[in-house]
Amino acid sequence: MWLLLTFSFLLASAAQDGDKAPEGEECVPHSQPWQVALFERGRFNCGASLISPRWVLSAAHCHTRFMRVRLGEHNLRKRDGPEQLRTVSRIIPHPRYEARSHRHDVMLVRLARPARLTPQVRPLALPARCPYPGEACMVSGWGLVSDNEPGTTGSPESQG
């Protein structure tokens, strides 16, 4: 199942643990109300963050022609009520984005209709400063998990 996951870690330099990915765990449903799923022709493409009722922040390499936005999600394979579907009215990739190197890999996505703010759909509170080395951090994103039941997809190795 594609579920929303969180990863907790201490901020360190890339040289210390560059090859090690932290292990994720399933989020409490709707505990990350800013998390957005970008879809291309009905298929999950990328994660993003709601930064205001009208704007989403994502990676520029996620840009597609037929992008749709889903907010209020937890499990991407089923509807459980609070989801909101939005079309996109404008995509603004960083003006110096380089596809080959992924430098400046950031874009803004304007929703054609603002998100309806609810307990399950809320903008991300942006930080006032950068984290410092050794500070505890949490990252959320979509990941494939397995509950080890017959007929489910994914495996413990595919988490994250």
Side-chain angles (χ1 to χ4, degrees):
M1 293 183 283
W2 280 94
L3 298 172
L4 195 55
L5 306 177
T6 57
F7 302 87
S8 297
F9 59 94
L10 293 178
L11 185 64
S13 72
Q16 290 177 323
D17 259 342
D19 294 335
K20 241 174 131 178
E23 200 168 304
E25 60 183 53
E26 181 180 349
C27 293
V28 171
H30 310 295
S31 62
Q32 314 298 312
W34 52 84
Q35 194 71 48
V36 173
L38 303 180
F39 281 77
E40 165 74 10
R41 298 180 192 225
R43 293 186 56 143
F44 174 72
N45 184 39
C46 280
S49 297
L50 185 68
I51 58 171
S52 81
R54 186 70 89 159
W55 291 97
V56 168
L57 180 69
S58 190
H61 75 262
C62 296
H63 179 280
T64 65
R65 187 171 175 202
F66 300 102
M67 191 182 318
R68 298 288 182 266
V69 175
R70 281 180 22 197
L71 308 107
E73 282 284 2
H74 175 69
N75 181 340
L76 297 180
R77 300 229 171 147
K78 69 176 193 173
R79 304 284 175 138
D80 59 0
E83 298 90 352
Q84 298 177 36
L85 179 62
R86 295 291 184 269
T87 56
V88 172
S89 66
R90 188 168 182 204
I91 298 170
I92 307 171
H94 190 287
R96 292 187 307 194
Y97 168 60
E98 297 173 11
R100 185 170 274 158
S101 67
H102 291 296
R103 286 177 50 115
H104 309 291
D105 190 11
V106 65
M107 74 174 168
L108 287 171
V109 177
R110 183 174 167 86
L111 304 178
R113 189 167 46 103
R116 192 176 81 265
L117 300 184
T118 68
Q120 298 85 12
V121 176
R122 286 250 170 277
L124 176 66
L126 296 174
R129 63 169 179 79
C130 293
Y132 53 85
E135 186 173 358
C137 298
M138 182 186 70
V139 175
S140 63
W142 301 103
L144 188 60
V145 297
S146 172
D147 53 15
N148 294 322
E149 291 181 13
T152 60
T153 58
S155 66
E157 293 81 29
S158 67
Q159 292 181 349

PDB file of all heavy atoms in Angstrom, residues 8 11-12 101 109 124:
ATOM      1  N   SER A   8      12.443  10.008  11.040  1.00  0.00           N
ATOM      2  CA  SER A   8      13.061  10.839  12.055  1.00  0.00           C
ATOM      3  C   SER A   8      14.560  10.588  12.016  1.00  0.00           C
ATOM      4  O   SER A   8      15.005   9.449  11.894  1.00  0.00           O
ATOM      5  CB  SER A   8      12.526  10.488  13.441  1.00  0.00           C
ATOM      6  OG  SER A   8      11.145  10.761  13.502  1.00  0.00           O
ATOM      7  N   LEU A  11      20.126  15.604  12.074  1.00  0.00           N
ATOM      8  CA  LEU A  11      20.766  16.256  10.948  1.00  0.00           C
ATOM      9  C   LEU A  11      22.269  16.064  11.079  1.00  0.00           C
ATOM     10  O   LEU A  11      22.857  16.370  12.101  1.00  0.00           O
ATOM     11  CB  LEU A  11      20.410  17.748  10.924  1.00  0.00           C
ATOM     12  CG  LEU A  11      20.922  18.527   9.741  1.00  0.00           C
ATOM     13  CD1 LEU A  11      20.280  18.000   8.457  1.00  0.00           C
ATOM     14  CD2 LEU A  11      20.621  19.996   9.908  1.00  0.00           C
ATOM     15  N   ALA A  12      22.863  15.513  10.042  1.00  0.00           N
ATOM     16  CA  ALA A  12      24.301  15.273  10.031  1.00  0.00           C
ATOM     17  C   ALA A  12      24.834  15.632   8.668  1.00  0.00           C
ATOM     18  O   ALA A  12      24.080  15.803   7.716  1.00  0.00           O
ATOM     19  CB  ALA A  12      24.588  13.804  10.349  1.00  0.00           C
ATOM     20  N   SER A 101      21.459  17.963 -13.989  1.00  0.00           N
ATOM     21  CA  SER A 101      22.125  17.895 -12.684  1.00  0.00           C
ATOM     22  C   SER A 101      21.150  17.996 -11.512  1.00  0.00           C
ATOM     23  O   SER A 101      21.531  17.773 -10.374  1.00  0.00           O
ATOM     24  CB  SER A 101      23.137  19.028 -12.561  1.00  0.00           C
ATOM     25  OG  SER A 101      22.467  20.286 -12.513  1.00  0.00           O
ATOM     26  N   VAL A 109       3.466  25.277  -7.662  1.00  0.00           N
ATOM     27  CA  VAL A 109       2.290  24.835  -8.406  1.00  0.00           C
ATOM     28  C   VAL A 109       1.100  25.619  -7.870  1.00  0.00           C
ATOM     29  O   VAL A 109       0.822  25.574  -6.663  1.00  0.00           O
ATOM     30  CB  VAL A 109       2.062  23.314  -8.225  1.00  0.00           C
ATOM     31  CG1 VAL A 109       0.798  22.870  -8.932  1.00  0.00           C
ATOM     32  CG2 VAL A 109       3.278  22.524  -8.704  1.00  0.00           C
ATOM     33  N   LEU A 124       1.777  23.928   5.416  1.00  0.00           N
ATOM     34  CA  LEU A 124       2.972  23.675   6.212  1.00  0.00           C
ATOM     35  C   LEU A 124       3.402  24.969   6.878  1.00  0.00           C
ATOM     36  O   LEU A 124       3.440  26.027   6.230  1.00  0.00           O
ATOM     37  CB  LEU A 124       4.091  23.162   5.294  1.00  0.00           C
ATOM     38  CG  LEU A 124       5.451  22.931   5.911  1.00  0.00           C
ATOM     39  CD1 LEU A 124       5.393  21.801   6.923  1.00  0.00           C
ATOM     40  CD2 LEU A 124       6.445  22.595   4.820  1.00  0.00           C
TER      41      LEU A 124
END
